[in-house]
Amino acid sequence: MKTTASPKAPLPVPSNDHLTERSRRARTEPMSVLPLGDGLYEVESASDHTYLIDLESGRCTCPDHVFRKARCKHIRRVAIEITEGRTPPPGEIAADCHDCDETMFVDENADAPFYCADHEIFPSDTVVDRETGDRLTVVDVSELRADAVEIGAADTTVAEYATNENYDPDVPVVGAIYPHARVARNGVVPSSLKVYVFPRTRLEREVRAE
Ligand SMILES: [Zn+2]
Ligand SMILES: [Zn+2]
C-alpha cells in the first residue's frame, strides 16, 4: 500500500466506474465465504488472503475497507451469497436435515435435530416407527425433551424406556396414536386411543408415493 501520496496530486475521486467495478469483482472473483456465527464471516480471496467481516456493522479487515472505508468486495460478496441463499444470514447457521442430506439455515441457538420441509412433522401427519415399522398418526410435537418426560406410572423417562435406548435423550418428544382404533360391540375401545410418546428421532415421516 502506498502511503506517501503527494499533496499536489489530486486525490482519486471514487467514480461510478469504481463502484461498478467493486460490484463486478464482488460477484465474479473466486472467494470462499465461511459463516462463523454471531454475524461474522471469514472470506478467503483468490490471492489466499483471509479477511474477517462483521456484516451488521459493515466492517471488513481488508485494506480497501480499513483505509478507504469502502463497502469492499468482501462485504458485498457476503451480502450477495446471503441474498442468493448460499450462505446463512446473521443469526443462522447451516445444518443438515436429520433424515436426509438436505442443508438448510436454522437459528444458531436452536438445538438439533433439524428437519427439512419434507421431513418435518405436524399433527395429523403419518409417521413410521423405526423400531417396529408401525404407522402412527402424530397428535403433538412437543418442545419437551425425551429425558424430561416421564412415561405414565412407570418410573422412567421416555429416553430411558428400553426400546428408546438407541435414540438421543435430548430430542423433543412426539405424541402419536395408532391409526386404527379398535372398535368393540359397544363402541370404540378407549385404550386403543392411547397416545404413545416417542423420541422425535425414532419416528420418520412417511414418504408419500409420487
Ligand atoms: Zn474487504
Ligand atoms: Zn429431510
Side-chain angles (χ1 to χ4, degrees):
M1 163 137 320
K2 222 175 162 189
T3 53
T4 54
S6 156
K8 284 176 185 165
L11 289 171
V13 177
S15 68
N16 282 335
D17 283 352
H18 276 94
L19 297 176
T20 311
E21 180 63 9
R22 274 204 189 90
S23 295
R24 192 188 64 76
R25 292 171 68 175
R27 191 169 283 282
T28 59
E29 280 186 17
M31 287 185 245
S32 64
V33 175
L34 178 69
L36 301 177
D38 289 329
L40 299 177
Y41 297 83
E42 193 179 275
V43 171
E44 195 178 306
S45 70
S47 53
D48 274 348
H49 285 95
T50 300
Y51 302 111
L52 195 63
I53 287 92
D54 180 341
L55 194 66
E56 282 171 325
S57 66
R59 281 202 287 261
C60 180
T61 52
C62 77
D64 195 28
H65 179 77
V66 171
F67 298 117
R68 286 190 280 277
K69 301 281 175 268
R71 185 171 153 82
C72 62
K73 61 188 178 185
H74 313 108
I75 295 174
R76 288 162 189 257
R77 178 59 163 261
V78 172
I80 289 168
E81 295 215 354
I82 290 171
T83 302
E84 293 181 351
R86 286 189 278 151
T87 206
E92 296 187 7
I93 53 165
D96 288 339
C97 171
H98 182 273
D99 288 351
C100 70
D101 53 14
E102 184 168 330
T103 300
M104 68 224 130
F105 301 149
V106 298
D107 188 295
E108 67 185 358
N109 297 315
D111 294 319
F114 303 111
Y115 292 95
C116 71
D118 286 343
H119 290 109
E120 196 174 5
I121 57 174
F122 298 97
S124 87
D125 281 342
T126 301
V127 290
V128 176
D129 177 354
R130 292 181 206 267
E131 286 294 302
T132 63
D134 288 339
R135 296 166 77 237
L136 297 100
T137 303
V138 175
V139 174
D140 182 49
V141 183
S142 172
E143 295 285 306
L144 298 170
R145 290 161 37 134
D147 57 6
V149 175
E150 295 204 341
I151 296 180
D155 193 18
T156 179
T157 64
V158 174
E160 290 163 347
Y161 195 70
T163 54
N164 291 336
E165 62 191 10
N166 293 330
Y167 303 92
D168 293 326
D170 57 352
V171 299
V173 295
V174 175
I177 56 171
Y178 289 87
H180 303 295
R182 279 179 288 122
V183 181
R185 276 170 179 271
N186 55 351
V188 176
V189 178
S191 65
S192 71
L193 292 175
K194 183 169 157 46
V195 175
Y196 292 85
V197 182
F198 299 86
R200 170 63 182 92
T201 46
R202 178 168 161 174
L203 302 174
E204 182 173 22
R205 185 152 145 193
E206 188 179 57
V207 181
R208 289 173 190 77
E210 293 292 315

